[in-house]
Amino acid sequence: MKKMLAWVVKEYGKPEDLVFDRIPVPSLEQGGPNPVDTLVKVEAAALNFADEIAIAGRYQDRIEPPFVPGNELAGTVVETSAGSRFQPGDRVACQVRSGAFAEYCAVASDRLMAIGDIDARAAAALPVSYTTAHVALFQKGNLTAGQTVLIHAASGGLGVAATQLARSAGARIIATAGSEEKRRFAIENGADHVIDYRKPDWYKEVKSLSPNGVDIVVDPVGGATSEQSLRLLAWQGKLLICGFASGEIPALKANYMLVKSASVHGVYWSFDRDPDEIRAIQQELVELCAAGGIRPLIRDVYPMGEVVAAMKALRSRETVGKVVLSW
């Protein structure tokens, strides 16, 4: 039986509890409505805050141990079974429920995006961060040219993606970021204004830049940031909840929604629920990336064997853009 190196969650815990093990290469299936019919040799896998939550057993889509974590990858097809949409040698990327932090990952071909000559490290950033940003801005936010968008954590993976997509749509962008380096990245990435969110009165700067409020807030932070953002919305504005990187679930006051006719939207997409829509979005993202319309920011690349260090850096806000693991 052929084996591979992979990070394994033997039991729920911290990233430090992961085991770098040699396990069997996953096998393919034939038949059924969505067979796992394509084996991908992983070249790069991207990190998400959700990975650490899954390892701890606290993710909403809970996976029982043992399992290989990681849900965003890019690589090359090496084997297929009957019915696969791809052939060995094709370069692909995808979002998976688990399995990205390994040498090989078995995937249902319907989930795969053909990436052509796009660098694997850049392609690995598309399936989750850019898809989430697209769903947030256009499906939930109905963004149109000329609107003002407030993007929190603008130098993170989702923030970078949201800024680039909002810029391509002709929006005015107010971004928040912590360090001077991250604020500089946000400006270089297309933000019109950048605010230091560590200042206790950061929201006053937003008000001065947009006295009538902002049309859309992209918020992957949660906690007090979400609560204050709700107050910053314009008439019929939209607060898009994309995650809780702060670790705090916000307590949002309905009276602010009422008096501004504002709305709060949870941004959570599922390939299994909306395969045609998600596939169309991801194909659009691949084409935009190939044409240079979007540019995944990949500064922090770690060897696959250093996944614990990579997660620690992501958790401590030391990273900029998407954090990628590479073989």
Side-chain angles (χ1 to χ4, degrees):
M1 180 181 293
K2 187 176 180 181
K3 292 197 172 184
M4 66 177 183
L5 284 171
W7 286 99
V8 182
V9 178
K10 301 280 189 179
E11 58 183 27
Y12 295 133
K14 301 176 182 178
E16 290 79 5
D17 299 321
L18 288 171
V19 178
F20 202 36
D21 205 356
R22 190 169 288 278
I23 64 173
V25 172
S27 57
L28 300 182
E29 304 170 357
Q30 294 190 30
N34 292 293
V36 178
D37 55 12
T38 307
L39 186 66
V40 179
K41 182 175 177 59
V42 178
E43 296 171 22
L47 280 185
N48 295 280
F49 282 106
D51 294 323
E52 190 164 344
I53 298 172
I55 290 167
R58 294 186 289 107
Y59 196 63
Q60 57 261 35
D61 185 13
R62 185 177 167 124
I63 307 170
E64 294 298 324
F67 67 92
V68 176
N71 59 13
E72 198 170 18
L73 64 87
T76 301
V77 174
V78 293
E79 183 184 342
T80 61
S81 62
S84 174
R85 298 169 52 234
F86 293 88
Q87 299 293 327
D90 289 343
R91 300 188 67 252
V92 294
C94 71
Q95 180 262 349
V96 290
R97 186 166 179 250
S98 64
F101 299 166
E103 286 186 277
Y104 297 92
C105 186
V107 185
S109 62
D110 278 354
R111 303 182 76 96
L112 292 170
M113 311 153 56
I115 61 172
D117 296 330
I118 298 174
D119 181 81
R121 291 171 295 182
L126 298 176
V128 174
S129 293
Y130 277 86
T131 302
T132 301
H134 195 290
V135 169
L137 291 170
F138 303 114
Q139 276 64 40
K140 301 292 186 180
N142 296 314
L143 176 64
T144 58
Q147 289 188 313
T148 297
V149 183
L150 172 62
I151 300 175
H152 291 301
S155 63
L158 177 62
V160 167
T163 300
Q164 292 178 7
L165 290 172
R167 169 59 61 197
S168 71
R172 176 189 181 222
I173 301 164
I174 301 173
T176 70
S179 68
E180 182 178 348
E181 178 192 27
K182 290 184 177 183
R183 293 194 296 277
R184 176 172 56 81
F185 269 119
I187 288 291
E188 293 174 353
N189 194 47
D192 296 289
H193 310 278
V194 181
I195 295 169
D196 185 350
Y197 71 82
R198 297 173 301 180
K199 294 180 179 179
D201 60 349
W202 62 267
Y203 59 92
K204 292 182 180 178
E205 292 189 50
V206 177
K207 285 184 176 180
S208 67
L209 290 168
S210 191
N212 295 323
V214 299
D215 299 294
I216 294 172
V217 179
V218 177
D219 177 23
V221 179
T225 298
S226 300
E227 295 165 20
Q228 190 61 61
S229 296
L230 184 59
R231 303 182 186 190
L232 294 170
L233 290 176
W235 175 253
Q236 295 189 333
K238 300 178 181 69
L239 172 59
L240 309 179
I241 302 294
C242 301
F244 310 106
S246 67
E248 299 177 13
I249 306 299
L252 301 176
K253 295 184 177 181
N255 59 311
Y256 289 112
M257 304 176 217
L258 176 65
V259 298
K260 293 184 177 181
S261 189
S263 56
V264 177
H265 298 262
V267 180
Y268 182 81
W269 56 271
S270 167
F271 188 94
D272 296 320
R273 289 178 181 271
D274 302 294
D276 293 336
E277 180 180 25
I278 298 303
R279 194 179 296 114
I281 289 171
Q282 293 183 335
Q283 182 60 40
E284 178 185 342
L285 292 171
V286 168
E287 292 170 2
L288 277 170
C289 187
I294 54 177
R295 308 168 310 284
L297 174 58
I298 312 296
R299 189 197 69 173
D300 300 291
V301 180
Y302 288 78
M304 185 64 77
E306 296 181 12
V307 67
V308 177
M311 286 189 170
K312 182 178 179 181
L314 181 64
R315 184 196 316 139
S316 62
R317 312 285 197 276
E318 296 173 4
T319 60
V320 173
K322 198 72 174 177
V323 182
V324 170
L325 302 164
S326 175
W327 284 104

